[in-house]
Amino acid sequence: MQTIRGDWNTTTPPEDGWVGVDLPDDWRRRWPAFDGVVWYRLNWDVTGQAEDTGLFVDYLNLAGTISINGNELQRDANLVEPLSRMWNTPRYLLLPASMLHAGRNEILIRVSGFADHQPALGRVAIGPPAAMQAMWKRTHWLRVDLQWLNLGIGTTLGTFFLALWVIRRRETAFGWYAAQQAAWFVFSYNFISVSSWPFATTDAYSAAITASYLIYDACSAMFMLRIMGRRWPRVEAAIWSLTALVILGMLLTPHARLGEVRNALSLFSMAMIIVTTAVFLYLAWWRHGNVPQRVLSLIALAVLLARAHDFVVFLGLIASNLYLVTYAETLSMVGFALTLAWTFATNIRRIESFNSELTSSVARARAELATTLERQHELELVHARLDERLTLAHDLHDGLGGILIGNIATFEEAPETVPTRTVLELLRELRDDLRLIIDTASSQTYGEDSLGELVGLLRHRMTRLFEARRIAIRWHIEGVDRLRLASTQSMDVLRILQEALSNALKHSGATGVEVDLALADRHLRLEVRDNGVGLPANGGTPGTGIRSMRTRARRLGAQLIVDADAGVTFIRLDIPVSAPMRAD
């Protein structure tokens, strides 16, 4: 193989000046800082009749043409700036027998490239078409097809973890992994791209690829910290600040210094990934990391080794054009997915175990609650019986007691011989009051009689008692004819009224009593006034009757006032009328 430099716009190589060269060849070793065209010439002899022959070219960086015996067989789209990017594409050509002849044959390869972008020609082989095509298929699968597979896996995983992060924002490791895959997509697309689009120059395209690589490194560092549950604000700010500065410096670098800067950036990137991986390994193995974290740290170590190889290739210390980082990254993506699946399955098992424990705990809690409720129910039954007894005692005191006291007072003033009719009337009143107690106690719904009807019965009995004692009683009842209360509420109202009148009858020494009962503005107001001796000077200790009235008032949610003013003793009750009270 021979080589010679040429001009950008020439279509044929110079006649003189060819030098021998071994492939693969990076022309920077021979012509440093040379940007332009280099021609390669391969001569071989065919003995006997020419046959179809296969030609395999490993790579051609960046763009070029291939000719056989002066016949151009292949030409890339752009041989001048912006150059086609065919650097990672292996080539197979069939050299038909019609283009070959016995004796000397010549293959001419033109390569257009820039010194800062590893200009080179890879291995060239000539042989049987089947063997050359098989070699091309293997190389194409490794260099191109596998890159498409990497892009598909990375895009799928990046999208999946982006969706997870959107759903669960606190899982920031997922978000950084998605950002890492987005940057990696831009970088790895460089391995299958065949043009500089959307950029106008090769330098601009290369700058974008390099920037994506640096951003990928920063995102990887963030992901490793988050997957280990770490937040180091100052370190993270330093990483992003330094990344932004080196990218800006690269964008401002002139073309003449671009090679030096790109080498420096490669060193910076390598240093960052070494430090990041070392921190990852330290946290995973020496800071009590779990099994998935340790597996991921080993995968990061494998990626580091691949990048170390690529760093040496990039610097031209190894005569190769094969970069391993994309394949290592595939291992990283698959490993991360498997590790996440492992973590997910472990969490599912924990959840199932927790659910089993929770079910047992709930069963125990239900049993304890059932026992507690049973005991509470027993206590409530006991309290209900006590309340019923207490209510019955109040009803007996306020009802039968009041009637008995009133009639006893009547008999004390009556002649020694009490007519039989009077005794019968007393017994009837006792019977009626007892029936009222029984009917009210057994009723669980709203009473069939309105409050006005119930008060009418009590009014009839109490008026007779007051008249027998020669005490004037005046009634003023308004708006209660259609008011229906629950049976217990009706009984409470009647008993408060009955107790107030019984107190006036027994203790006041009054000559006149007034009763006002009215419904207005959703309030039922009851007031009993007398002109008797009034209350004790210091109020005294309230008797059973007053205590009973207050208990019933609290049960009604009402306000009860017992007081005296200007020689008038009054008992005032204010009841808000609401459900279950109702007015038809």
Side-chain angles (χ1 to χ4, degrees):
M1 178 69 73
Q2 294 178 314
T3 185
I4 192 173
R5 288 192 296 182
D7 184 73
W8 281 109
N9 299 315
T10 58
T11 58
T12 59
E15 292 293 335
D16 300 323
W18 291 88
V19 295
V21 65
D22 294 325
L23 297 181
D25 175 61
D26 184 339
W27 77 50
R28 292 177 300 175
R29 300 171 184 171
R30 187 177 304 101
W31 301 302
F34 173 68
D35 297 337
V37 175
V38 171
W39 296 88
Y40 291 88
R41 184 172 63 187
L42 174 62
N43 296 319
W44 89 100
D45 294 328
V46 175
T47 58
Q49 185 177 0
E51 297 179 352
D52 291 348
T53 304
L55 172 65
F56 169 76
V57 179
D58 192 11
Y59 60 87
L60 187 158
N61 194 6
L62 284 171
T65 64
I66 301 176
S67 303
I68 177 68
N69 293 329
N71 299 307
E72 187 173 274
L73 298 180
Q74 188 177 77
R75 170 182 287 267
D76 293 332
N78 293 325
L79 300 179
V80 295
E81 189 71 320
L83 293 175
S84 296
R85 300 189 59 81
M86 305 300 294
W87 68 279
N88 198 47
T89 304
R91 302 160 189 257
Y92 165 74
L93 294 174
L94 178 64
L95 307 180
S98 59
M99 292 186 180
L100 301 177
H101 51 260
R104 179 62 55 93
N105 291 267
E106 180 182 79
I107 294 176
L108 192 63
I109 301 175
R110 167 184 167 145
V111 179
S112 299
F114 295 98
D116 295 330
H117 300 284
Q118 294 82 45
L121 176 64
R123 183 166 56 97
V124 177
I126 299 174
M132 296 298 100
Q133 189 172 36
M135 186 183 299
W136 172 82
K137 287 181 178 180
R138 289 193 300 269
T139 308
H140 193 275
W141 181 86
L142 185 64
R143 290 181 175 272
V144 179
D145 296 340
L146 193 56
Q147 300 300 335
W148 281 108
L149 178 62
N150 292 340
L151 281 177
I153 295 175
T155 301
T156 302
L157 290 178
T159 303
F160 175 74
F161 287 108
L162 176 62
L164 284 183
W165 175 73
V166 170
I167 295 172
R168 292 177 59 84
R169 293 295 184 88
R170 64 181 181 179
E171 301 291 347
T172 53
F174 295 160
W176 284 115
Y177 185 79
Q180 171 186 324
Q181 290 306 312
W184 181 254
F185 179 91
V186 176
F187 172 74
S188 58
Y189 186 74
N190 177 53
F191 289 85
I192 57 176
S193 173
V194 295
S195 72
S196 297
W197 186 89
F199 300 96
T201 65
T202 300
D203 286 348
Y205 181 93
S206 179
I209 296 300
T210 304
S212 68
Y213 198 49
L214 296 173
I215 293 173
Y216 165 80
D217 287 339
C219 291
S220 297
M222 299 298 295
F223 166 72
M224 291 179 185
L225 288 175
R226 294 297 182 269
I227 204 68
M228 294 303 303
R230 297 296 195 277
R231 287 183 179 273
W232 297 342
R234 294 183 179 178
V235 174
E236 295 168 14
I239 290 174
W240 286 108
S241 298
L242 192 57
T243 301
L245 286 175
V246 296
I247 291 176
L248 180 61
M250 177 187 63
L251 296 177
L252 298 177
T253 300
H255 176 78
R257 304 295 300 275
L258 188 59
E260 299 174 6
V261 171
R262 291 181 70 229
N263 290 341
L265 292 184
S266 298
L267 183 61
F268 167 78
S269 175
M270 193 64 199
M272 178 180 288
I273 195 63
I274 289 174
V275 172
T276 300
T277 305
V279 171
F280 196 5
L281 290 169
Y282 173 75
L283 294 176
W285 292 89
W286 286 275
R287 288 297 180 182
H288 310 292
N290 55 35
V291 173
Q293 292 170 341
R294 291 180 176 180
V295 171
L296 287 176
S297 69
L298 293 178
I299 293 174
L301 179 60
V303 174
L304 173 62
L305 296 177
R307 292 186 64 170
H309 167 271
D310 294 351
F311 179 67
V312 176
V313 172
F314 177 81
L315 295 179
L317 301 179
I318 295 179
S320 172
N321 197 45
L322 181 63
Y323 291 89
L324 301 180
V325 67
T326 55
Y327 314 112
E329 186 62 26
T330 301
L331 171 65
S332 173
M333 291 185 290
V334 174
F336 180 76
L338 293 176
T339 303
L340 182 66
W342 182 9
T343 304
F344 181 76
T346 302
N347 291 337
I348 289 296
R349 288 194 293 270
R350 290 178 181 174
I351 292 172
E352 291 174 348
S353 176
F354 173 77
N355 287 339
S356 178
E357 295 177 1
L358 182 62
T359 301
S360 301
S361 300
V362 169
R364 290 194 299 269
R366 283 180 176 175
E368 295 174 358
L369 181 60
T371 303
T372 303
L373 290 176
E374 184 177 355
R375 292 176 182 173
Q376 183 179 358
H377 180 64
E378 293 175 356
L379 291 175
E380 288 177 351
L381 289 177
V382 173
H383 291 160
R385 294 189 186 102
L386 292 176
D387 289 341
E388 290 174 356
R389 293 173 184 175
L390 183 59
T391 300
L392 181 60
H394 287 163
D395 290 341
L396 290 173
H397 172 272
D398 297 342
L400 294 175
I403 294 173
L404 287 173
I405 290 173
N407 283 280
I408 289 171
T410 301
F411 288 153
E412 288 177 347
E413 297 180 0
E416 294 181 359
T417 303
V418 179
T420 303
R421 181 178 298 279
T422 303
V423 176
L424 289 175
E425 289 179 355
L426 168 61
L427 293 176
R428 288 191 187 98
E429 289 182 5
L430 292 174
R431 179 200 63 190
D432 294 340
D433 197 87
L434 182 60
R435 185 179 298 279
L436 178 62
I437 294 173
I438 294 172
D439 292 343
T440 305
S442 61
S443 175
Q444 297 299 321
T445 60
Y446 287 96
E448 297 180 357
D449 298 328
S450 67
L451 182 61
E453 292 171 328
L454 296 174
V455 171
L457 298 175
L458 180 63
R459 174 180 179 179
H460 174 71
R461 294 200 306 270
M462 298 305 297
T463 299
R464 292 179 57 191
L465 290 174
F466 275 82
E467 288 178 349
R469 297 289 300 271
R470 298 181 180 84
I471 300 175
I473 183 169
R474 184 165 59 85
W475 297 78
H476 176 257
I477 301 175
E478 181 180 357
V480 297
D481 293 339
R482 300 178 62 188
L483 177 63
R484 299 183 185 277
L485 307 178
S487 56
T488 55
Q489 294 170 326
S490 296
M491 178 59 74
D492 286 336
V493 174
L494 293 177
R495 288 312 188 199
I496 290 174
L497 174 57
Q498 188 177 27
E499 180 63 24
L501 293 175
S502 297
N503 286 341
L505 184 65
K506 292 183 292 184
H507 308 300
S508 69
T511 60
V513 178
E514 295 183 8
V515 179
D516 288 330
L517 180 63
L519 176 65
D521 299 330
R522 299 185 63 81
H523 282 265
L524 178 64
R525 295 182 176 87
L526 170 65
E527 185 171 331
V528 178
R529 300 182 298 276
D530 67 68
N531 59 358
V533 297
L535 298 174
N538 296 325
T541 302
T544 302
I546 296 296
R547 291 198 299 271
S548 175
M549 284 193 291
R550 288 176 177 169
T551 299
R552 293 181 186 276
R554 285 195 299 269
R555 199 155 55 204
L556 289 168
Q559 182 181 12
L560 177 69
I561 299 176
V562 180
D563 205 351
D565 184 23
V568 176
T569 302
F570 62 86
I571 296 176
R572 186 176 298 142
L573 181 70
D574 189 348
I575 310 171
V577 178
S578 58
M581 299 180 181
R582 62 183 182 184
D584 293 339

